[in-house]
Structures are given as structure tokens and as C-alpha cells.
Amino acid sequence: MDQEQDTVQDEPPEEQPESLLRIEQLSKSYAVPTGRLQVLQTVSFQVQSGEFLAITGPSGSGKTTLLGALDSPDSGEIWLNEIAVHRLRGPAAADFRRQQVGFVFQLYYLLPNLTALENVMAPLLPSRRKLGFDLRQRAKELLERVGLGDRLGHPPARLSGGEQQRVAIARALINSPQLVLADEPTGNLDPATGMEVLEVLRELQRRGRQTLLLVTHDPELAALADKHIPLEQLSRVGA
Ligand SMILES: Nc1ncnc2c1ncn2[C@@H]1O[C@H](COP(=O)(O)OP(=O)(O)OP(=O)(O)O)[C@@H](O)[C@H]1O
Ligand SMILES: [Mg+2]
């Protein structure tokens, strides 16, 4: 028994799975009238390439803060595909995010004056000419894949909540991001619709071999992930 443990400790596995996202000792606080509110303290974790990881925690535990801190931590390191994201500044940081990361939020943030199709195209419209593929066609295919092939011309006001979130999912995937971040993406939907929408997201993520990091308070949603970890445990894991 002792020997076995020694072996495990002394010899790391020969082939470590490839980690796409590596967070090291991330901390984040907010300025409040009484000083600083420390929400995240030395949070460390990794997400393997192609994995769907859910991080769970009750309301107020810092899940949204965690996703925001991937942009602007107080301290800590964020490595995406061995690129030191925490060192990127200004336009380089914005470009990197636009190319590598897709976001799905609880509130869909669709543009009200655009159709479903135009909303999905919107993130890449500025660089449309340089893309090397037909943006409209890709947006259309993504909407078909989320089951909205017959709603392309609908503005958000003429879509149900679940449909709007499916548009937002298609939009998040328009740039084929390596990493998809989702913050309570079904929080505004009834449980059955929420589950359906998350399954759509999971299916697309698997097909596109994307890596998905979901933060949620909902254990049922977290159970759909390959792995789920309570946020509170991440301050110790690997720290
Ligand atoms: N801009 C801010 N300034 C000060 N405090 C903040 C700010 N944003 C969030 N907080 C505080 O940080 C803590 C974590 O908030 P956060 O939004 O990350 O929680 P959450 O886990 O996403 O919660 P929920 O499940 O309700 O979305 C909360 O106590 C909140 O009041
Ligand atoms: Mg939140």
C-alpha cells in the first residue's frame, strides 16, 4: 500500500492530458466603501482540451467574477494554449479574445434591431472580408444546428427566451473559438428549456471539439459536464 502511494507520488503519469486553459493563483477583489472585498483568492485549475468543465457555487460565491477575472485579474496567471493571456494588453488582448474565446451569458445580449442571422454574424462583420469563408452561410448553418433554421429573419423580440439563448450560442461559436465560457446560460429559462439549451451547447461543443467552461449554481446542469468542481475547492487544488 505504502509502496503504491510512493510510486504515485514519485512518478508523474507519462502522458499528461493536454490542458487548453490553465489558471494559476488567480485573485480578484472589488473596491467597496469599507476597503476591498476579496472574492477570489489564489484560484487554480486547468481545463483539458475538448473538455466540458462545470464550476459550481451558490449565488454570490464569485462565479461571474471568475469569468470576468480571466480578462482582468488582480494577480495570477492565465494560460490559454500556452499563451500568457495575463500579459496581453490593449488591442492584442481584445483581438486574442475575439479570436479564441466565445461567451454565452445568462442575459443573451442580442442586438434588438438585428435579425437572428445578423446577430450571429455580428462579431465577425468587421473582419468579414478577411475571413476566407462565407460568414452568412456559416451563421445560417449554426442556426440550423441549434434548431432555428426557420427563424433566421426573426429579431430577438419575436423569439422565445430559449430561442434567443440558442441564437446567443450560435453567435458565441461563429468564430470557432477554442474556448467557450458560459455564465449561467440557462438562468432565464424554465428548467426543461434550460436543459434542452444546454444540451444543444454541449452537442455543438463536442462536434467542434471546443473546450467549454460553464459556471452555474445548478447541480443538474453541472451534471451534464465531463467534470464538475465546487468553486470553493479551487483555492486549494493546485494552489
Ligand atoms: N462590481 C462589484 N463591486 C463590488 N462587489 C461586487 C461586484 N461584483 C460582484 N461583487 C460581489 O462579489 C461577490 C461575487 O459576485 P459574483 O457576481 O461573482 O457571484 P456569482 O457566484 O456569480 O453569483 P450569482 O450565482 O448570483 O450570479 C458578491 O458578494 C458580490 O456582491
Ligand atoms: Mg453570476
Side-chain angles (χ1 to χ4, degrees):
M1 186 67 183
D2 278 343
Q3 254 181 353
E4 259 174 43
Q5 278 183 353
D6 281 343
T7 313
V8 170
Q9 281 172 359
D10 292 347
E11 291 173 24
E14 277 179 18
E15 272 196 33
Q16 297 269 10
E18 193 190 336
S19 90
L20 180 92
L21 178 67
R22 188 155 56 84
I23 306 299
E24 301 280 357
Q25 311 265 336
L26 195 76
S27 294
K28 183 77 185 178
S29 62
Y30 295 109
V32 289
T34 48
R36 289 204 81 81
L37 174 68
Q38 191 72 41
V39 179
L40 302 174
Q41 186 125 41
T42 59
V43 167
S44 300
F45 64 97
Q46 303 192 7
V47 195
Q48 310 306 330
S49 188
E51 183 181 43
F52 172 8
L53 173 69
I55 294 180
T56 56
S59 178
S61 59
K63 303 178 300 294
T64 297
T65 301
L66 173 65
L67 294 192
L70 299 183
D71 258 358
S72 56
D74 292 346
S75 60
E77 297 184 359
I78 299 146
W79 295 85
L80 184 65
N81 232 348
E82 297 310 314
I83 291 172
V85 179
H86 52 286
R87 293 202 194 114
L88 300 176
R89 296 280 179 276
D95 280 356
F96 183 80
R97 260 197 306 285
R98 199 166 47 237
Q99 286 161 17
Q100 312 285 346
V101 185
F103 294 93
V104 187
F105 303 99
Q106 175 172 351
L107 303 169
Y108 330 119
Y109 299 122
L110 297 178
L111 296 166
N113 299 326
L114 302 186
T115 64
L117 185 70
E118 290 162 348
N119 263 286
V120 176
M121 293 168 65
L124 292 184
L125 268 180
S127 49
R128 187 176 191 173
R129 294 219 178 82
K130 293 179 264 166
L131 290 177
F133 62 86
D134 184 338
L135 179 58
R136 181 172 290 269
Q137 187 56 33
R138 173 158 170 79
K140 201 167 154 238
E141 280 166 17
L142 277 168
L143 282 170
E144 280 163 4
R145 275 195 243 154
V146 299
L148 294 177
D150 54 353
R151 296 284 191 279
L152 303 181
H154 284 226
R158 298 207 185 142
L159 294 168
S160 74
E163 288 170 346
Q164 290 183 52
Q165 190 58 304
R166 282 186 276 155
V167 173
I169 288 170
R171 180 184 56 185
L173 299 176
I174 189 71
N175 57 344
S176 307
Q178 297 191 59
L179 176 67
V180 179
L181 301 176
D183 185 353
E184 219 69 83
T186 63
N188 264 353
L189 306 172
D190 66 77
T193 309
M195 198 57 106
E196 235 174 72
V197 164
L198 195 65
E199 279 170 2
V200 165
L201 177 59
R202 184 183 62 170
E203 193 49 40
L204 283 184
Q205 168 256 336
R206 284 198 180 152
R207 270 212 217 185
R209 295 199 186 85
Q210 275 138 344
T211 305
L212 174 59
L213 173 58
L214 165 79
V215 296
T216 180
H217 70 275
D218 185 341
E220 277 191 51
L221 296 180
L224 287 179
D226 298 321
K227 197 159 87 185
H228 50 101
I229 314 178
L231 177 56
E232 58 173 9
Q233 281 182 14
L234 297 177
S235 292
R236 280 169 259 136
V237 175

